[in-house]
Amino acid sequence: MDALRATYRLRVDDPVAARERAEGLGLEQTVELPRSTLRDPFVLAQIVPEVESVEPDPEGGFRTTLAFPLATTALDPAQLLNLLFGNSSLQEDVVLHDVFLPRALREALGGPRFGIAGLRAAAGAPSGPLTCTALKPMGLAPDALAELAGTFARAGIDLIKDDHGLADHPFCRFEPRVRACQAAVEKAALETGRRALYVPNLTGTPQTVARQWRFAADCGVGAVMVAPMLIGLPTLTELLRDAPPLPVLAHPAWAGALRIAAPALLGRLFRAYGADAVIFPHAGGRFAYSAAVCGELASVLREPSPPLRPAMPVPAGGMSVERASEVVDFYGPDAMLLIGGSLYDAGDALLERTRSFVEAVSQAGSAP
Amino acid sequence: MDALRATYRLRVDDPVAARERAEGLGLEQTVELPRSTLRDPFVLAQIVPEVESVEPDPEGGFRTTLAFPLATTALDPAQLLNLLFGNSSLQEDVVLHDVFLPRALREALGGPRFGIAGLRAAAGAPSGPLTCTALKPMGLAPDALAELAGTFARAGIDLIKDDHGLADHPFCRFEPRVRACQAAVEKAALETGRRALYVPNLTGTPQTVARQWRFAADCGVGAVMVAPMLIGLPTLTELLRDAPPLPVLAHPAWAGALRIAAPALLGRLFRAYGADAVIFPHAGGRFAYSAAVCGELASVLREPSPPLRPAMPVPAGGMSVERASEVVDFYGPDAMLLIGGSLYDAGDALLERTRSFVEAVSQAGSAP
């Protein structure tokens, strides 16, 4: 069966290090264990990805292609993202460069329901480049946006989309906006004989987006826009199963989200959105966070911020039993130490090694 | 009313450029128009964020804090992400450094339902640092994972979580896995008198995660784990409204997703997940993509990849009417040109400027 292939760029200097980094990447993205601890033959044969190539990258460093056995994806849209760039997205020396989805995965995901041909049909534009513009700025009332929509429609634009910052604002509610803008393009169509597609921006939680989608379809809009990285890529895929058939315009907002400081994303935002405990790589492990960043992240998770309850910091990522007391000293008692690979290292002595870990934490936590 | 404040780090050299960049950032994140085109007094007073400070960053460059009027958030979880780092996440000279959610937003989001105290209560660990480990590797069958869970529980670990790579795999289905692991910690509790919390990993589309959550709760698990960046932060918030009350452990997988080449994320993945048309910044505008990247992205969206329909490339981002024919030459006819601000520049001549754009594209598209 066809594998899932992904190409990564590695910031390493020599071929030996590159090969080793590529192997490590494959382990990180699947078993999260050193190869030496893997004993199950099925795991070795069917789970760990094959390093298909490691070669110098014309732009510097090395490039590697990994082949993940298809079964590791579970044909699941969220697990696919995780396999491609889950933990490794937190490591600074690697870039996900390209993705090759085998046919079975493409079938599972489904892809565009309209595609270029369907979009052209919806827009009544069988050939030639299409034109599109945006209704803006945020802050205008539905009538003012509708007037703009009418102007653009009369000028012959094919698709007139909301700015992606237009949400269900108190000063411009989604429903009156969509109704007014759609009416404006329909009115213009009576004058010009050619109908522009009005494309409302849908945003919010999955149920909100689904509700907006149905409303927009009932109003007769020609397509919808979402920002998949805001609503979640798996959410988009699920919406397409049940939502009324309309072409989807995808907006790239938030697609550069790495460049958010860890305390802001994993600390403030994860907590505000409802996490009771947040796992993050502790300094000195196999990820790149500094001690200062870890300390700030923990403090952001725990500091008073009513009505938000404090959330538990969960330092993880390549910690060892030996470091337990240092980590407890660093975070204090309101923390949960997450340790994995270093326990599995113990092989048959797993119970004893784990007991040592529990005892080390307990002793460190009760030290004066 | 309290504003939403965000601090950004700017890669600029001098105070004048920094102030200008900060103003530009505030416009990009809200109105997506140059200030000169803003005429509506409500927009100027209530939408455009105030640049509260611009100061040298001890780590180089400058740091600025913007205050967004609360109403711009619509108190919506997806729109909040967009305001904080929507378009600007695609610009290379800016990092979202910190976020200060006013009380009204914290109330709207809700935050942790258990928090540290609730998690401690669930774990029966009222004080001291907690311990946690992970069930791995992916590839083991439910019984093997359950055996590990039992060993960890007997060793006294507080929380035993699934590896975040454990999905609903054909070789290890979610339901038997959760049943077996929960039974194992319960059996160990009979021996030791102390119950470890088994924490299954939930992953998939929103409805899948909701179903897994209910199943896990019915099995009696003590907490659940999700990766908010895989399932979508707004999805997490919505799940917390209706899902059975269990503490949530958040995993950071995919939180570094910027370092994915644009053709892979916006091209292959957005298409595979169902976008019919994908908006992206065309080279030479106010974003950082090169012509080579744009060309590759367009080709990835359109190339044969059965059964996926081809998706329409939508170059955008600071294009002008004058560039229309160059852009059409670059992408060919299967493209949609998205132009916004440069039309709004025309003020009262919006209709005429838009007509010029439509005509320029039409002429370029029919050139031999």
Side-chain angles (χ1 to χ4, degrees):
Chain A
M1 191 133 58
D2 257 6
L4 164 69
R5 286 182 173 74
T7 301
Y8 302 86
R9 298 176 57 189
L10 308 173
R11 207 171 57 209
V12 289
D13 292 334
D14 68 90
V16 174
R19 163 66 58 174
E20 199 174 300
R21 186 67 188 84
E23 297 277 357
L25 188 60
L27 295 167
E28 183 72 55
Q29 292 301 100
T30 50
V31 293
E32 290 185 70
L33 281 174
R35 186 176 287 271
S36 59
T37 68
L38 300 178
R39 299 195 278 187
D40 188 288
F42 177 78
V43 170
L44 285 163
Q46 301 293 328
I47 303 292
V48 177
E50 186 189 346
V51 177
E52 287 196 330
S53 67
V54 180
E55 43 199 38
D57 186 331
E59 299 174 52
F62 283 78
R63 205 173 274 213
T64 185
T65 296
L66 303 185
F68 297 85
L70 185 60
T72 60
T73 68
L75 297 181
D76 179 277
Q79 166 66 359
L80 170 62
L81 299 179
N82 179 50
L83 273 179
L84 290 173
F85 210 41
N87 276 4
S88 299
S89 75
L90 302 167
Q91 297 177 318
E92 294 220 326
D93 63 344
V94 55
V95 172
L96 174 57
H97 182 69
D98 213 343
V99 177
F100 307 94
L101 304 174
R103 175 147 192 147
L105 256 177
R106 300 198 300 265
E107 279 170 355
L109 291 169
R113 291 191 299 177
F114 287 81
I116 292 179
L119 185 64
R120 283 191 179 283
S127 66
L130 304 179
T131 56
C132 181
T133 190
L135 300 176
K136 56 176 82 178
M138 181 201 300
L140 295 190
D143 285 355
L145 293 169
E147 195 184 322
L148 286 167
T151 301
F152 288 134
R154 285 195 299 279
I157 291 276
D158 294 305
L159 272 75
I160 301 164
K161 73 168 192 68
D162 284 343
D163 231 9
H164 73 285
L166 304 189
D168 186 22
H169 283 111
F171 47 77
C172 183
R173 288 286 168 205
F174 178 82
E175 299 196 353
R177 178 179 96 228
V178 171
R179 221 183 277 117
C181 292
Q182 180 60 20
V185 300
E186 285 175 9
K187 183 153 174 276
L190 292 177
E191 297 169 27
T192 65
R194 193 164 175 287
R195 177 168 309 193
L197 294 190
Y198 165 59
V199 187
N201 178 50
L202 315 183
T203 196
T205 64
Q207 287 172 29
T208 300
V209 173
R211 199 167 51 237
Q212 292 176 343
W213 195 315
R214 285 191 301 271
F215 181 86
D218 288 346
C219 287
V221 308
V224 295
M225 182 169 77
V226 298
M229 302 306 288
L230 294 181
I231 66 167
L233 278 166
T235 301
L236 171 58
T237 290
E238 184 171 279
L239 285 165
L240 292 178
R241 277 190 227 140
D242 303 321
L246 289 172
V248 172
L249 202 54
H251 192 283
W254 189 256
L258 163 79
R259 283 195 318 275
I260 301 179
L265 179 60
L266 302 179
R268 293 192 206 285
L269 293 177
F270 274 32
R271 176 181 175 190
Y273 279 78
D276 295 287
V278 176
I279 300 169
F280 60 91
H282 181 58
R286 62 188 192 271
F287 298 89
Y289 292 174
S290 68
V293 166
C294 291
E296 200 190 333
L297 175 44
S299 111
V300 162
L301 286 170
R302 296 185 296 206
E303 72 188 12
S305 184
L308 304 186
R309 295 182 178 85
M312 183 73 89
V314 188
M319 280 204 296
S320 62
V321 173
E322 292 68 31
R323 289 186 72 193
S325 96
E326 165 207 330
V327 174
V328 170
D329 286 349
F330 187 86
Y331 291 101
D334 269 342
M336 174 153 63
L337 279 69
L338 169 53
I339 189 170
S342 145
L343 297 181
Y344 285 83
D345 267 349
D348 291 332
L350 182 64
L351 180 67
E352 293 69 30
R353 175 76 68 95
T354 307
R355 278 197 176 125
S356 309
F357 167 52
V358 171
E359 278 158 23
V361 173
S362 165
Q363 280 171 17
S366 59
Chain B
M1 193 131 57
D2 256 5
L4 164 69
R5 285 183 174 73
T7 301
Y8 301 86
R9 297 176 59 190
L10 308 172
R11 206 170 59 210
V12 289
D13 292 334
D14 68 273
V16 174
R19 162 68 57 173
E20 200 175 299
R21 187 65 187 87
E23 297 278 356
L25 187 61
L27 295 167
E28 183 72 56
Q29 292 302 98
T30 50
V31 294
E32 291 186 72
L33 280 174
R35 187 176 286 271
S36 60
T37 67
L38 300 178
R39 300 196 278 187
D40 187 289
F42 177 78
V43 171
L44 286 163
Q46 302 293 329
I47 302 294
V48 177
E50 187 189 345
V51 177
E52 287 197 329
S53 68
V54 180
E55 44 200 37
D57 186 331
E59 299 173 55
F62 283 78
R63 204 173 274 215
T64 186
T65 296
L66 302 184
F68 297 85
L70 185 61
T72 60
T73 67
L75 297 182
D76 179 277
Q79 166 66 0
L80 171 61
L81 299 179
N82 179 49
L83 273 179
L84 290 173
F85 211 42
N87 275 3
S88 299
S89 75
L90 303 167
Q91 297 177 318
E92 294 220 324
D93 62 344
V94 56
V95 172
L96 174 57
H97 182 70
D98 212 343
V99 177
F100 308 94
L101 304 174
R103 173 144 193 151
L105 257 176
R106 299 198 300 265
E107 278 169 357
L109 291 169
R113 290 191 299 179
F114 287 81
I116 291 179
L119 186 64
R120 283 191 179 285
S127 66
L130 304 179
T131 55
C132 181
T133 191
L135 301 177
K136 56 175 85 181
M138 180 200 302
L140 295 191
D143 285 354
L145 293 170
E147 195 185 321
L148 286 167
T151 301
F152 288 134
R154 285 194 299 279
I157 291 274
D158 294 305
L159 272 74
I160 300 163
K161 72 168 194 67
D162 284 345
D163 231 9
H164 73 286
L166 303 190
D168 185 22
H169 284 111
F171 46 78
C172 183
R173 288 286 169 205
F174 178 81
E175 298 196 353
R177 178 178 96 229
V178 171
R179 221 184 277 118
C181 292
Q182 179 60 21
V185 300
E186 285 175 9
K187 181 153 174 278
L190 292 178
E191 296 170 26
T192 64
R194 192 165 176 286
R195 177 169 310 194
L197 294 189
Y198 165 59
V199 187
N201 178 50
L202 315 183
T203 198
T205 65
Q207 287 172 28
T208 301
V209 174
R211 198 167 51 237
Q212 291 176 343
W213 196 315
R214 285 191 302 270
F215 180 86
D218 288 346
C219 287
V221 309
V224 295
M225 183 168 78
V226 298
M229 303 306 288
L230 294 180
I231 65 166
L233 278 167
T235 301
L236 171 58
T237 290
E238 184 172 281
L239 285 165
L240 291 179
R241 277 190 227 140
D242 303 321
L246 289 172
V248 173
L249 203 54
H251 192 282
W254 189 254
L258 164 79
R259 281 194 321 272
I260 301 178
L265 179 60
L266 302 178
R268 292 193 207 285
L269 293 177
F270 274 33
R271 176 182 175 190
Y273 280 77
D276 295 286
V278 176
I279 300 168
F280 60 91
H282 180 57
R286 62 188 192 269
F287 298 89
Y289 292 172
S290 68
V293 166
C294 291
E296 200 190 334
L297 175 44
S299 113
V300 162
L301 286 170
R302 297 185 296 206
E303 72 189 13
S305 184
L308 305 185
R309 294 182 179 85
M312 183 74 89
V314 189
M319 279 204 297
S320 62
V321 173
E322 292 68 31
R323 290 186 71 194
S325 96
E326 166 207 331
V327 175
V328 170
D329 285 351
F330 186 86
Y331 292 101
D334 269 342
M336 174 154 63
L337 280 71
L338 169 53
I339 188 169
S342 144
L343 296 180
Y344 285 83
D345 267 348
D348 290 332
L350 182 65
L351 180 67
E352 294 69 30
R353 175 77 67 95
T354 307
R355 280 200 175 121
S356 308
F357 167 52
V358 171
E359 278 157 24
V361 173
S362 166
Q363 279 172 17
S366 59

